Amino acid sequence: MNQNIIFPHLHIWFSGVGRMIDIKGFTIAYYGIVIVIGMLAGITLACYMAKKTGQNPDNYYDLSIYAIICSIIGARLYYVIFRWDIYKDDLLSIFNIRNGGLAIYGGVIAAIITTFVYTKVKKLSFPLMCDTAGLGLILGQVIGRWGNFFNREAFGEYTDSIFAMQLPLDAVRSSDVTKKMLAHTVTNEGEVYIQVHPTFLYESLWNLCLLILLLLFFKHKKFDGQIFLLYLLGYGIGRFWIESLRTDQLLIPYVKYPVSMFIAALLVVASIAINVYMIYFKKDKTVEVES
């Protein structure tokens, strides 16, 4: 199978991009490696911010164990629920996540629930932990999205923009290929490619910019929980736009509207509303953060 990935207008050509590495007969998917790197980087950042703001980093190490397990389960369940047509005739394939099939919003929802339970048990501040752990979550997303690069997934419709990405037609799922893509295929060295939006790249860069802004704003926040609310706001805006470009959207049954766009819009509205309430109507909200 052709394993090249090309960004023609940027004059970037990745040759032989495999999906997994083989170590003495044992294969490890690059997708999983990237996700693990993202998790470790996120935990490191969260613990660093915890120490910097006078919190106990051990709480975040402990939380990460529960949150990662629950987030993977939540992300998988979310994906399976909205792509039940793929798994209903092969239930065992639900447990095979080596080839992708994790939905970030499912992971985020599971992580929020896990954090809420953890803080209640440990008698810690839920909003403060969301602020701190949230920064690690964003960094994890920045890195983790590159798992889609190796899997040739999470791309958008045909485009001829400067960031256009070319993928071998036989290297992607046929269900993700549209008539428009087929009408604009290109041939390189005898191989047929589709040319699409690299939406995984858009989201990774968007989240990186969001992370930088939130890190700069962290010591200026007006109340605990504001950083996480701004994350939901910023990520929601970006996700709503990026999701509209994708061809592998998870749809709400019967309504047939992208579920991620609906959730993104809902979180944007909720974040704005809660921020306005906390800033203008809630008293005794100011927090002190060490520099």
Side-chain angles (χ1 to χ4, degrees):
M1 179 185 293
N2 183 354
Q3 295 185 311
N4 297 332
I5 299 178
I6 306 168
F7 291 83
H9 303 316
L10 296 175
H11 305 290
I12 299 175
W13 186 305
F14 295 99
S15 299
V17 181
R19 294 176 184 268
M20 56 190 66
I21 184 173
D22 190 299
I23 303 177
K24 295 183 178 180
F26 182 76
T27 59
I28 303 175
Y30 286 122
Y31 181 91
I33 294 174
V34 172
I35 294 297
V36 169
I37 292 173
M39 289 177 176
L40 293 176
I43 294 170
T44 300
L45 176 59
C47 291
Y48 168 78
M49 292 301 297
K51 185 176 182 180
K52 186 176 181 180
T53 54
Q55 303 175 68
N56 184 356
D58 289 343
N59 290 326
Y60 290 87
Y61 284 119
D62 293 341
L63 172 63
S64 66
I65 296 174
Y66 303 113
I68 287 174
I69 295 173
C70 292
S71 293
I72 292 175
I73 294 173
R76 186 58 169 176
L77 286 176
Y78 184 103
Y79 185 86
V80 169
I81 288 171
F82 291 103
R83 293 301 298 268
W84 183 243
D85 55 312
I86 297 177
Y87 301 98
K88 63 182 180 181
D89 298 321
D90 185 12
L91 298 182
L92 289 179
S93 64
I94 292 175
F95 301 97
N96 180 19
I97 63 174
R98 290 165 64 97
N99 292 320
L102 299 175
I104 185 62
Y105 269 133
V108 172
I109 292 170
I112 292 174
I113 295 173
T114 303
T115 303
F116 179 78
V117 173
Y118 181 84
T119 55
K120 288 300 180 183
V121 172
K122 293 290 187 176
K123 294 181 173 53
L124 300 170
S125 170
F126 172 66
L128 180 57
M129 288 205 78
C130 281
D131 277 352
T132 311
L135 295 174
L137 172 61
I138 307 172
L139 180 57
Q141 288 178 266
V142 171
I143 298 172
R145 268 302 171 194
W146 283 88
N148 301 132
F149 170 78
F150 292 100
N151 271 5
R152 281 82 164 172
E153 62 185 3
F155 52 80
E157 183 57 274
Y158 164 78
T159 183
D160 197 36
S161 70
I162 188 172
F163 292 108
M165 175 178 65
Q166 294 178 354
L167 299 171
L169 180 59
D170 63 358
V172 300
R173 292 189 297 249
S174 59
S175 59
D176 295 340
V177 180
T178 67
K179 293 181 179 179
K180 189 175 181 180
M181 291 178 197
L182 292 175
H184 292 86
T185 57
V186 296
T187 302
N188 287 314
E189 299 182 351
E191 297 285 347
V192 178
Y193 291 75
I194 56 173
Q195 185 168 295
V196 298
H197 282 286
T199 51
F200 78 90
L201 175 61
Y202 298 165
E203 187 167 327
S204 181
L205 294 177
W206 180 276
N207 287 337
L208 177 60
C209 293
L210 180 60
L211 174 60
I212 293 172
L213 290 174
L214 292 182
L215 284 171
L216 293 174
F217 183 72
F218 195 93
K219 64 181 180 180
H220 302 292
K221 66 177 182 175
K222 299 184 183 304
F223 58 90
D224 287 338
Q226 186 176 31
I227 296 298
F228 191 70
L229 287 173
L230 292 178
Y231 154 70
L232 295 179
L233 172 63
Y235 179 66
I237 292 173
R239 186 59 186 267
F240 188 89
W241 162 63
I242 294 168
E243 189 71 17
S244 69
L245 302 174
R246 289 176 58 168
T247 62
D248 61 343
Q249 299 164 328
L250 301 178
L251 304 177
I252 301 174
Y254 306 110
V255 179
K256 299 303 179 183
Y257 186 80
V259 62
S260 288
M261 292 179 67
F262 172 77
I263 293 178
L266 186 65
L267 290 177
V268 166
V269 172
S271 177
I272 292 174
I274 297 174
N275 263 288
V276 170
Y277 170 76
M278 291 297 294
I279 293 174
Y280 294 102
F281 300 101
K282 184 73 172 177
K283 295 181 179 180
D284 300 325
K285 57 189 178 293
T286 304
V287 296
E288 300 222 355
V289 179
E290 295 180 8
S291 58

